[in-house]
Amino acid sequence: MLKKILYFWAVVILALTGCSSEKNTTHHLTIVSEEYAPLNYTEEGNFTGQVTEVVKALLTITHTDATLDVIPWEEGYERVLTEPNTALFTTVMTPERKAHLQWVGPVTALDTNFYALKGSGIVIKTLQDAKKVPSIAAVRGHYTEEMLKEEGFANLISCQDDQAALQKLYNGEVQLYISSNIAMPALLQSAGAATEEVENLFTVSMDLAYIAFSPNTSSALVAQWQTALDEMKRDGRFDTIYAKWMPGEIPPGVFQLMTEEYPPITFMKEGKPAGFVTDMVREIASRLNLPDNIRLTSWKNAYNMALLYPNVILFSAERTEEREALFRWVGPVGKNNVIFYTKKGSGIVINSLEDAKQIEAIATTTDWFTEQYLQQQGFTNLISSESPEENVRQLMNGEANLSIFTDLTVSEIVHNAGYSMEDLEPLFTVTQTYFYIAISKDTSEEVYQDWVAALNTLKQDGTFKEIYHNYLPNAELDDLIEL
């Protein structure tokens, strides 16, 4: 009996020792970064910056044993790809990098913005609005200048460097200046100006940066870091650090709520995102205890973000066959009719899609579901433009014979293009569609189900109907609520 008892306790002690050893085992990390103010840089021998502070806080919270080195970017990226237990910050997630590394973040947002002097009165809701501004300062040869050139901007003033571009803004020689949220604080400081003197009018593009871990780092450790970062975001510690280094900027939350200018569904009103789907998303976020960090940007940018990053909430999006497998779908949250329009008096008659395929040119908006639908139906006569307002102008000046819009949004688009609905004529209803809130595919099933349940509650308690009718009082909603 004594032998059995001793054997029993030996087994228990061995088991406890094993558990204790596993629990207390830490993987020594080598964490590397480059000099890139204000995110990570050396000042008076101290490595500091917005992301550096976040990383140091995570080291403390997770009790991770680590060595921090400052090295050139190329060397750091090579090491995180090949050396075990290595982390690299600040790293932008790209489609090429995504599968090769493990990711914790986002820890910062790298935005390219249009800036104006405070109180300028300029309103920029779309890239098309920015094209109407007399002049925009951009740095010669910089990616920001190249980006706008690719988008067809003809109002650029090319400057030698950022300081010269900022000076032109202050002198009134230009109305806008395109720069990044990373460069702007340092530029203003070097010019002896306060951050309040300029304002961000529109985000042209947004990239999210992360802490990238080598593929053979413990996945449990990486998950522990992500949990700790999410908790910092929920309790406000992350926002405090962000505001210190990036004043006036919206910090990347646990979730990124992204939309575009597409009234009355989503649009900017008095400096704040509005619209009936925007209000629904805002209500759902409130019920799920998420911050109201809704951001408005171009559709192309928002759509690409939802394809790449986890935890992106994109709204609203048509649920098409082409997109079905790309996102998780919450809804429907609205419906519309897709219609071919022509210039009034054109004499064109369309009774079918086959008739429309014989037309010389149809103006469509790049990457919109309407364009994707026609492409899927075999149309080869499309003229694609970045802006729906440009589609209207192409219709009116004879570059295109038809264009395609939804009945919910066409009036605002035509008005913004400088015309009225009396100038157009609806010819043929292509299809009726439902639109949804799209959640990026990498987002967890639990989060997806939370959004589905929250929307269903809105429909059941009357909030959905109330929000919808605030914008479209006569809309019939029975099918939306029952689906």
Side-chain angles (χ1 to χ4, degrees):
M1 176 65 71
L2 180 59
K3 185 180 291 186
K4 288 183 177 180
I5 293 173
L6 290 175
Y7 176 77
F8 169 78
W9 282 111
V11 170
V12 170
I13 292 170
L14 182 61
L16 290 174
T17 303
C19 290
S20 176
S21 175
E22 179 66 24
K23 182 178 180 180
N24 294 325
T25 296
T26 58
H27 300 273
H28 178 84
L29 280 181
T30 299
I31 304 178
V32 296
S33 186
E34 65 172 337
E35 292 275 351
Y36 187 44
L39 304 181
N40 20 264
Y41 68 102
T42 305
E43 184 177 63
E44 298 179 356
N46 179 42
F47 196 51
T48 189
Q50 181 256 310
V51 182
T52 306
E53 280 202 28
V54 172
V55 169
K56 290 180 177 179
L58 290 172
L59 284 170
T60 300
I61 295 168
T62 60
H63 306 288
T64 303
D65 178 35
T67 302
L68 185 59
D69 291 330
V70 182
I71 60 177
W73 168 258
E74 293 78 8
E75 182 183 341
Y77 188 63
E78 180 63 25
R79 287 174 63 175
V80 79
L81 285 174
T82 58
E83 297 182 9
N85 298 323
T86 303
L88 171 67
F89 71 95
T90 305
T91 310
V92 174
M93 183 188 290
T94 67
E96 296 76 22
R97 297 171 182 170
K98 184 176 181 179
H100 300 297
L101 298 166
Q102 300 184 77
W103 302 87
V104 169
V107 289
T108 200
L110 307 179
D111 296 346
T112 299
N113 303 319
F114 284 127
Y115 292 94
L117 293 180
K118 192 81 170 180
S120 68
I122 299 172
V123 176
I124 304 294
K125 296 180 179 180
T126 65
L127 291 181
Q128 198 63 33
D129 289 340
K131 290 180 180 179
K132 300 174 186 176
V133 172
S135 55
I136 302 173
V139 177
R140 187 177 303 116
H142 195 259
Y143 81 93
T144 51
E145 183 183 59
E146 296 304 316
M147 180 192 305
L148 296 187
K149 285 182 177 178
E150 289 177 6
E151 296 289 347
F153 278 73
N155 54 347
L156 304 180
I157 303 297
S158 191
C159 302
Q160 181 178 352
D161 52 34
D162 282 298
Q163 288 76 12
L166 184 61
Q167 191 60 51
K168 285 187 180 296
L169 183 68
Y170 269 96
N171 292 344
E173 298 176 56
V174 299
Q175 291 72 45
L176 296 178
Y177 162 44
I178 185 167
S179 186
S180 74
N181 61 334
I182 304 303
M184 184 55 75
L187 282 170
L188 291 172
Q189 185 178 21
S190 65
T195 57
E196 296 80 13
E197 294 180 21
V198 298
E199 57 182 338
N200 172 13
L201 296 188
F202 184 77
T203 298
V204 180
S205 68
M206 178 180 175
D207 293 305
L208 298 179
Y210 290 70
I211 306 165
F213 287 78
S214 54
N216 51 9
T217 301
S218 164
S219 59
L221 180 63
V222 174
Q224 185 184 14
W225 274 56
Q226 184 66 63
T227 299
L229 176 62
D230 290 348
E231 187 58 35
M232 285 181 65
K233 291 181 177 182
R234 291 189 176 97
D235 66 22
R237 285 175 291 173
F238 180 85
D239 287 6
T240 299
I241 293 173
Y242 209 83
K244 171 184 173 182
W245 295 96
M246 313 276 280
E249 298 287 338
I250 300 174
V254 176
F255 300 94
Q256 320 310 317
L257 311 181
M258 306 300 300
T259 190
E260 64 165 337
E261 182 74 14
Y262 197 55
I265 301 169
T266 58
F267 60 97
M268 192 68 78
K269 181 180 180 181
E270 298 175 355
K272 185 177 182 180
F276 66 85
V277 177
T278 302
D279 288 356
M280 290 176 194
V281 168
R282 185 173 280 123
E283 179 64 23
I284 291 172
S286 175
R287 295 186 183 197
L288 296 178
N289 295 316
L290 302 176
D292 180 4
N293 65 347
I294 296 172
R295 298 179 63 134
L296 188 147
T297 182
S298 70
W299 171 255
K300 181 179 180 180
N301 182 44
Y303 185 79
N304 287 337
M305 287 180 64
L307 287 176
L308 175 61
Y309 304 115
N311 296 330
V312 174
I313 313 298
L314 172 67
F315 62 96
S316 61
E318 303 289 333
R319 187 172 183 172
T320 65
E321 183 179 343
E322 182 182 49
R323 296 174 178 174
E324 180 66 31
L326 300 178
F327 306 104
R328 296 172 179 267
W329 300 93
V330 177
V333 292
K335 61 181 178 179
N336 52 35
N337 293 306
V338 179
I339 299 172
F340 279 131
Y341 291 84
T342 187
K343 183 179 180 180
K344 193 142 191 177
S346 70
I348 297 173
V349 176
I350 299 293
N351 293 314
S352 67
L353 290 183
E354 289 304 314
D355 288 346
K357 289 180 181 179
Q358 308 310 312
I359 294 296
E360 183 179 351
I362 302 175
T364 59
T365 305
T366 306
D367 290 334
W368 276 20
F369 83 97
T370 46
E371 179 182 77
Q372 293 173 343
Y373 179 82
L374 295 183
Q375 289 170 339
Q376 189 179 49
Q377 297 301 313
F379 279 73
T380 59
N381 55 345
L382 308 182
I383 302 174
S384 184
S385 301
E386 294 291 335
S387 162
E389 288 81 8
E390 182 62 22
N391 296 160
V392 177
R393 282 186 280 272
Q394 289 168 327
L395 198 61
M396 299 306 294
N397 66 22
E399 290 181 59
N401 313 100
L402 297 178
S403 192
I404 185 168
F405 301 107
T406 68
D407 58 344
L408 280 183
T409 60
V410 63
S411 178
E412 185 76 16
I413 291 169
V414 170
H415 173 75
N416 289 340
Y419 297 92
S420 74
M421 287 303 296
E422 294 181 357
D423 297 316
L424 271 66
E425 181 181 353
L427 290 186
F428 179 75
T429 298
V430 178
T431 185
Q432 183 181 75
T433 65
Y434 293 91
F435 46 91
Y436 290 69
I437 299 166
I439 298 182
S440 53
K441 198 67 179 290
D442 290 346
T443 306
S444 73
E445 177 68 18
E446 180 183 3
V447 167
Y448 166 66
Q449 292 298 340
D450 285 345
W451 279 76
V452 169
L455 177 61
N456 287 340
T457 302
L458 259 64
K459 291 183 177 184
Q460 292 163 7
D461 67 17
T463 306
F464 180 92
K465 185 175 183 179
E466 180 183 350
I467 291 173
Y468 211 108
H469 281 167
N470 282 340
Y471 292 85
L472 299 169
N474 300 317
E476 292 291 335
L477 304 179
D478 289 347
D479 55 341
L480 290 175
I481 293 173
E482 292 170 3
L483 283 173

